[in-house]
Amino acid sequence: LRFSCRRGGGLVQAGGSLRLSCAVSGYTAVDYTIGWFRQAPGKGREGVSCISASGSITYTADSVKGRFTISSDNAQNTVYLQMNNLKPEDTAVYSCAAVDPRGSCQFLYGIDYWGKGTLVTVSS
């Protein structure tokens, strides 16, 4: 699988919004879950939100619940992350990835393919 970010991150003020998109290409017999992950400066990677091949949201981190929404457009093979009410602590490199059905977005295992990260900077 390959990923490409059609719209990347950028600089936004606290309270603002951004939408990240990740186009998925390539064939696989596995119905991967697609997720967004982030790594803040000096911190470890964490799962943000994931969506199954059937369009069910399988995971959303507590830190972003009510503010971030993951969605998918299967016709476009694209997964989106709508980020609202952004906070400075959301500053991180965001990446999309394919998670094996037996893997975990929350505990970060079974992640088979990674897309290139995009930097989101939220200023206070």
Side-chain angles (χ1 to χ4, degrees), residues 65-108:
K65 279 182 181 177
R67 300 188 299 121
F68 291 12
T69 303
I70 191 170
S71 62
S72 63
D73 182 340
N74 288 341
Q76 298 292 326
N77 291 327
T78 301
V79 175
Y80 303 96
L81 185 68
Q82 178 66 44
M83 305 185 294
N84 298 328
N85 191 20
L86 283 159
K87 303 177 180 180
E89 52 263 43
D90 295 319
T91 294
V93 174
Y94 287 73
S95 304
C96 54
V99 184
D100 185 276
R102 295 165 295 180
S104 170
C105 293
Q106 182 178 7
F107 299 108
L108 302 178

